[in-house]
């Protein structure tokens, strides 16, 4: 952090503006995509993909995750694993139940 | 005795305490919203086929798109406020922080209109499970916005005095506050398509 | 609890003294019994063990053991405490609220919990308690990572610190889904939602006026996602304490320290993927139950490694049978019984018979009562001199220990028997009305008498703690001749500062009886020569 020179910061600012533009564009893309005639599964996949790209941009550049120390990234990867477990297992248990509901 | 590594980084981890602390907090928040997203998935699977999509048609996509853009802008202004401090420009910091708060307020105002319009049409959290999870997810997200506004407001107001005495410490604080704020934006980036578009 | 045990022992008689306050002619009403049951679990876990093991022992001794001046975030620590305080007040005052205290089990399963009285207070209380744990765990993880003294590498950490570290990770990542679930249940109760209420639910003969479409299973998933890691939160700090006490009083390094560390990390990770073993009888398909059965069996392995390491550590050692060591030693077979009785529960087929019976209650009480609580007693006897500058009386300590050990077993062993016979848990009359229970009902009185005697056995402990503050044997920094860093600070530590000078660490945590040295212990701070 203390190693950031003025030029460093100025180049970061450029990046922030580019990311902002990309996020705005992707927002419009995701809305437009919702009007396409896709199956539910395809729509979910597309929406989540675009959202993940947007989220990664925010995390990597606004939150500086791309240049962050390894420890932080490890903690987040661990969290991501548990997040997906939380997301998927109730869903699969739902499908696997001997009777629904 | 002073607690070490509040301003200077610990050599082996390369981190200051508060940076590690805020990321841990954000990890817990990922799990919190994860629990709610998990509920969304569960409830959607349990509802009649296509029900969630149909119930979701009540939502106002243009307003929410605007809100998405507003929140993304607030993320930019937030990171710019930190960058301004790194460039020693306190005035710019105040400008950008002020804009961040303004965007946040705008977001909440639009949400207010969204909610009241629903109530006006007799749509409440209890109306169906989609609305239940919609109000809960956006409500909790809104509470997080309010919390962020309080913190940012403090840093714009009396909290900014620290700039004169301990500029590096203050800049760190703004970076930490920024991390929280970007996270709130990040949650919305997922909430928006999931609730409004799917 | 003792009141509940009176009811179970003598179900058709009035409970003496307090019965008139609580019951219908003195006999506990089912509602009251259920409140006591739900709140007993809630209070013991969230107001008792977690605050004591993590909040008290952790906050006090982790900084000392890692040579830190304080926790990383003192103000966050304070916030964590006051959040706990508010949550505790809400939980306890709920007994006096118009609705009374929660009575849907500490597990708060909907639909009952959604519509039953007393639950709103419980949910709000839980929100505060969960927040307290979240804030605290962030503090612990940051402190342990960032504030270790110079030279204190990860593999030189006392096992107690490792156990608190893993515990903190469990808390920070597992608690939030329960916080989410509590919000959802609160919404069901006050905002008319149906997150957990299925369609067509009929209450007291009438169709419930809600949208329906919800699922009680959703609550169970979110609840147990936390509550399983939570049980490891309950045991790990105590295991950590037992490690310290055994190493110190066997005058030997812990055998298999590295394997213990890897085991506790693996255990922490696995604890997130076993939760549905609490849900085997919910109509789960065979794929899911096979998955959770498998992970549950696997998770027993690290526990066995740790327990075995403790046992092997005793081999060839010079055991000092002081009171902390007695409790630490007793922990081993007691936790062994608790762990072993968990195995049939983890196997789906056996669990069908044992789920929701007294067998489960016996199993988990063996782990937390003569398990964790004995570990905590060991910690109190071991660290009391550090906190107060005086030792507790050994005589009173033994007078506390032996009856406690005996009565713990007399209470919880019969529960396993009753459970195997099929006696369900949460029965206000102890199974009196069920024919299948008739063969094992006589144990109720036996267990209740043992419970009251266990209660009486705590009196020497209370006297000891109070008496020894002023009259205990005075001690210097290191009365137990221990190697770890907390014993380099004065007893008690100086106010406002843990160490006058931050210590420098040069050694592993348990250098006891190293051949060729003059003393049978070498503190971690002692520099290596040459």
């Amino acid at each position: 952090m203390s190693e950031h020179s003025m030029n460093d910061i100025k180049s970061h600012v450029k990046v922030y503006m580019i990311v902002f533009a990309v996020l705005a564009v992707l927002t419009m893309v995701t809305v437009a995509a919702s009007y396409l005639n896709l199956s539910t599964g395809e729509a979910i996949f597309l929406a989540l993909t675009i959202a993940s790209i947007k989220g990664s941009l925010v995390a990597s550049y606004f939150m500086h995750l791309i240049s962050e120390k390894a420890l932080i990234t490890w903690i987040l990867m661990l969290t991501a694993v548990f997040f997906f477990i939380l997301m998927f297992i109730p869903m699969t248990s739902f499908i696997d139940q001997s009777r629904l509901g | 005795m002073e607690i070490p590594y509040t301003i200077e980084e610990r050599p082996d981890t390369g981190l200051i305490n508060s940076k590690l602390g805020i990321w841990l907090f954000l990890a817990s928040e990922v799990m919190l919203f994860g629990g709610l997203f998990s509920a969304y998935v569960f409830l959607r699977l349990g509802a009649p086929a296509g029900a969630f999509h149909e119930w979701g048609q009540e939502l106002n996509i243009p307003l929410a798109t605007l809100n998405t853009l507003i929140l993304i802008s607030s993320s930019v202004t937030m990171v710019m406020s930190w960058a301004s401090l790194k460039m020693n420009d306190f005035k710019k910091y105040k400008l950008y922080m002020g804009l961040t708060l303004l965007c946040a307020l705008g977001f909440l105002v639009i949400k207010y209109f969204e909610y009241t319009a629903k109530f006006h049409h007799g749509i409440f959290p209890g109306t169906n499970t989609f609305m239940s999870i919609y109000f809960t997810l956006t409500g909790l997200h809104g509470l997080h916005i309010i919390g962020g506004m309080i913190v940012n407001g403090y840093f714009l107001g009396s909290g900014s005095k620290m700039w004169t005495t301990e500029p590096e410490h203050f800049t760190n604080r703004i970076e930490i506050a920024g991390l929280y704020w970007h996270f709130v934006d990040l949650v919305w980036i997922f909430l928006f398509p999931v609730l409004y578009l799917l | 609890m003792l009141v509940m045990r009176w009811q179970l022992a003598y179900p058709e008689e009035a409970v003496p003294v307090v019965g008139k306050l609580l019951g219908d002619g003195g006999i506990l009403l089912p509602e009251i019994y259920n409140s006591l049951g739900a709140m007993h679990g809630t209070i013991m876990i969230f107001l008792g063990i977690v605050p004591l093991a993590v909040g008290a022992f952790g906050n006090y001794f982790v900084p000392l053991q890692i040579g830190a001046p304080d926790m990383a975030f003192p103000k966050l620590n304070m916030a964590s405490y006051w959040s706990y305080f508010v949550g505790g007040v809400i939980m306890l005052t709920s007994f006096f609220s118009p609705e009374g205290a929660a009575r849907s089990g500490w597990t708060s399963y909907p639909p009952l919990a959604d519509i039953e009285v007393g639950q709103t207070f419980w949910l709000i209380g839980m929100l505060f308690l969960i927040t307290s744990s979240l804030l605290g765990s962030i503090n612990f993880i940051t402190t342990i990572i960032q504030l270790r003294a110079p030279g204190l590498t990860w593999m030189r950490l006392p096992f107690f610190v490792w156990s608190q570290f893993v515990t903190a990770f469990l808390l920070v990542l597992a608690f939030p889904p329960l916080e989410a679930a509590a919000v959802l249940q609160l919404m069901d109760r006050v905002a008319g939602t149906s997150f957990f209420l299925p369609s067509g639910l009929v209450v007291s003969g009438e169709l419930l006026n809600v949208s329906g479409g919800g699922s009680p299973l959703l609550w169970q998933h979110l609840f147990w996602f936390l509550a399983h890691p939570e049980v490891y939160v309950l045991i790990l700090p105590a295991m950590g304490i037992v490690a310290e006490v055994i190493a110190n009083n066997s005058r030997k390094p812990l055998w298999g320290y590295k394997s213990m560390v890897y085991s506790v990390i693996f255990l922490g990770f696995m604890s997130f993927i076993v939760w549905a073993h609490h849900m085997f009888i919910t109509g789960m398909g065979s794929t899911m139950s096979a998955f959770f059965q498998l992970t549950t069996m696997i998770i027993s392995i690290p526990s066995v490694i740790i327990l075995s390491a403790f046992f092997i550590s005793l081999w060839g050692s010079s055991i000092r049978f002081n009171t902390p060591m007695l409790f630490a030693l007793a922990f081993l077979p007691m936790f062994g019984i608790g762990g072993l009785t968990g195995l049939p529960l983890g196997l789906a087929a056996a669990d069908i018979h044992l789920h929701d019976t007294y067998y489960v209650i016996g199993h988990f009480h063996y782990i937390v009562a003569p398990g964790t609580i004995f570990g905590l007693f060991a910690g109190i006897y071991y660290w009391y001199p550090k906190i107060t500058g005086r030792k507790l009386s050994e005589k009173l300590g033994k007078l506390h220990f032996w009856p406690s050990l005996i009565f713990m077993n007399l209470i919880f062993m019969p529960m396993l028997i009753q459970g195997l016979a099929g006696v369900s848990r949460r029965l206000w009359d102890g199974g009196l009305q069920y024919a299948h229970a008739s063969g094992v009902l006589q144990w109720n009185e036996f267990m209740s008498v043992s419970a009251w005697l266990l209660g009486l056995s705590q009196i020497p402990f209370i006297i000891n703690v109070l008496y020894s503050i002023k009259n205990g044997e005075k001690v210097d920094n290191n009365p137990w001749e221990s190697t770890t860093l907390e014993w380099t600070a004065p007893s008690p530590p100086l106010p406002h500062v843990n160490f006058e000078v931050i210590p420098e660490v040069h050694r592993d945590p348990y250098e006891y009886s190293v051949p060729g040295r003059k003393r049978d212990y070498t503190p971690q701070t002692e520099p290596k020569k040459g």
Side-chain angles (χ1 to χ4, degrees), chain A residues 74-94:
Chain A
W74 277 107
I75 292 174
L76 289 176
M77 286 201 282
L78 184 68
T79 310
V81 168
F82 293 135
F83 175 85
F84 283 112
I85 289 172
L86 183 61
M87 213 47 50
F88 283 111
I89 295 199
M91 180 163 66
T92 49
S93 83
F94 195 104

Side-chain angles (χ1 to χ4, degrees), chain B residues 1-6 8-10 12-22 24-36 38-40 42-43 46-47 55 124-129 131-137 140 173, chain C residues 69-75 134-135 137-138 141-142 145-149 152 154 169 172-174 176-177 179-181 183-184 187 191-196 210-215 217-218 221-222 225 272 496-497 499-502:
Chain B
M1 187 180 279
E2 279 274 313
I3 296 174
Y5 312 123
T6 46
E8 76 283 5
E9 289 121 5
R10 182 181 160 107
D12 59 355
T13 60
L15 294 166
I16 53 172
N17 300 338
S18 51
K19 173 95 50 101
L20 181 55
I22 193 74
L24 287 167
F25 175 66
L26 294 183
S28 81
E29 293 271 82
V30 167
M31 298 307 289
L32 178 70
F33 281 97
L36 291 178
S38 178
Y40 171 88
F42 207 84
L43 291 169
W55 289 330
F124 296 97
T127 301
N128 54 54
T129 48
M131 282 302 161
S132 307
I133 195 70
Y134 162 78
F135 277 109
T136 308
L137 266 170
L140 192 65
R173 284 188 158 191
Chain C
D70 198 344
M71 295 289 281
F73 307 119
K75 291 201 201 96
L134 286 176
L135 299 177
S137 58
I138 292 171
I141 296 173
T142 309
I145 292 179
Q146 295 280 103
L147 299 186
R148 283 166 294 133
L152 190 56
W154 286 100
F169 263 102
V172 78
L173 295 177
E179 186 138 44
V183 168
L184 297 182
M187 292 281 289
T193 55
S194 301
F195 286 111
F196 307 123
V210 289
S211 70
S215 170
L217 273 183
L218 176 60
H221 278 296
L222 293 174
F225 187 86
F272 280 93
H496 299 303
V497 75
F499 300 95
E500 279 168 320
V501 176
I502 294 292

Side-chain angles (χ1 to χ4, degrees), chain C residues 322-324 326-327 380-381 384-385 388 390-401 460-461 463-469 471-473 480:
Chain C
N322 47 44
T323 309
L326 287 175
F327 277 105
I380 294 175
Y381 283 96
Y384 186 93
T388 62
R390 290 175 187 274
K391 267 192 180 169
L392 286 167
S393 146
E394 275 296 315
K395 278 212 193 75
L396 285 174
K398 284 164 174 132
L399 200 56
H400 171 217
F401 171 73
F461 172 69
I463 295 176
N464 202 352
V465 169
L466 295 173
Y467 177 82
S468 304
I469 292 183
N471 302 299
E473 176 199 332
W480 302 115

Side-chain angles (χ1 to χ4, degrees), chain A residues 37-56:
Chain A
N37 231 341
L38 299 170
S39 74
T40 314
E42 288 170 335
I44 292 174
F45 178 75
L46 186 58
L48 287 181
T49 306
I50 299 177
S52 301
I53 297 174
K54 289 168 77 181
S56 307

Side-chain angles (χ1 to χ4, degrees), chain C residues 78-297:
Chain C
M78 189 171 68
S80 164
Y81 173 75
W82 286 111
S83 194
Y84 156 72
F85 183 82
V86 169
V89 166
I90 293 175
M91 283 294 187
L92 293 175
T93 54
S94 71
F95 280 106
F96 305 105
S97 73
E99 286 190 346
R103 57 175 71 145
S104 309
W106 82 282
T107 50
S108 300
Y109 277 13
L112 181 68
D114 272 21
I115 58 181
E116 178 64 281
V117 297
Q119 191 66 12
T120 307
F121 258 71
W122 188 91
L123 291 165
I124 298 175
M126 282 308 293
L127 290 177
F128 280 98
L129 294 174
I130 294 174
T131 304
S132 166
S133 278
L134 286 176
L135 299 177
S137 58
I138 292 171
N139 217 348
F140 274 95
I141 296 173
T142 309
T143 303
I144 294 172
I145 292 179
Q146 295 280 103
L147 299 186
R148 283 166 294 133
L152 190 56
T153 57
W154 286 100
M155 284 309 183
R156 281 180 176 170
L157 281 178
F159 190 71
F160 177 71
V161 179
W162 270 113
S163 64
Q164 291 280 358
F165 187 63
V166 173
T167 302
F169 263 102
L170 298 184
L171 290 172
V172 78
L173 295 177
F175 247 135
L178 180 60
E179 186 138 44
V183 168
L184 297 182
Q185 197 173 88
L186 213 46
M187 292 281 289
D188 271 7
R189 290 181 66 82
V190 305
T193 55
S194 301
F195 286 111
F196 307 123
L197 297 171
S199 306
L201 191 63
V202 173
V203 177
S204 306
E206 272 179 36
L207 200 63
L208 205 60
N209 187 16
V210 289
S211 70
S215 170
L217 273 183
L218 176 60
W219 168 267
Q220 290 192 32
H221 278 296
L222 293 174
F223 176 83
W224 286 114
F225 187 86
L226 160 83
H228 192 82
E230 176 67 26
V231 314
Y232 293 100
V233 167
L234 299 179
I235 192 66
L236 288 183
M239 259 183 187
I241 296 176
V242 166
E244 301 304 305
V245 173
I246 287 184
N248 175 250
N249 287 298
S250 63
R251 311 313 288 171
K252 257 187 89 192
L254 278 182
W255 188 93
Y257 170 85
K258 266 216 174 93
S259 357
M260 287 173 67
V261 170
Y262 292 131
S263 293
V264 81
I265 294 171
F266 182 65
L267 181 82
F269 180 81
M270 290 300 293
S271 72
F272 280 93
I273 51 176
V274 299
W275 81 86
H277 65 222
H278 299 271
M279 297 167 60
F280 278 139
I281 60 159
T282 56
M284 188 183 277
S286 53
T287 317
M288 277 299 112
S289 73
F291 173 78
F292 282 106
Q293 203 176 218
L294 180 62
T295 53
T296 305
M297 288 300 118

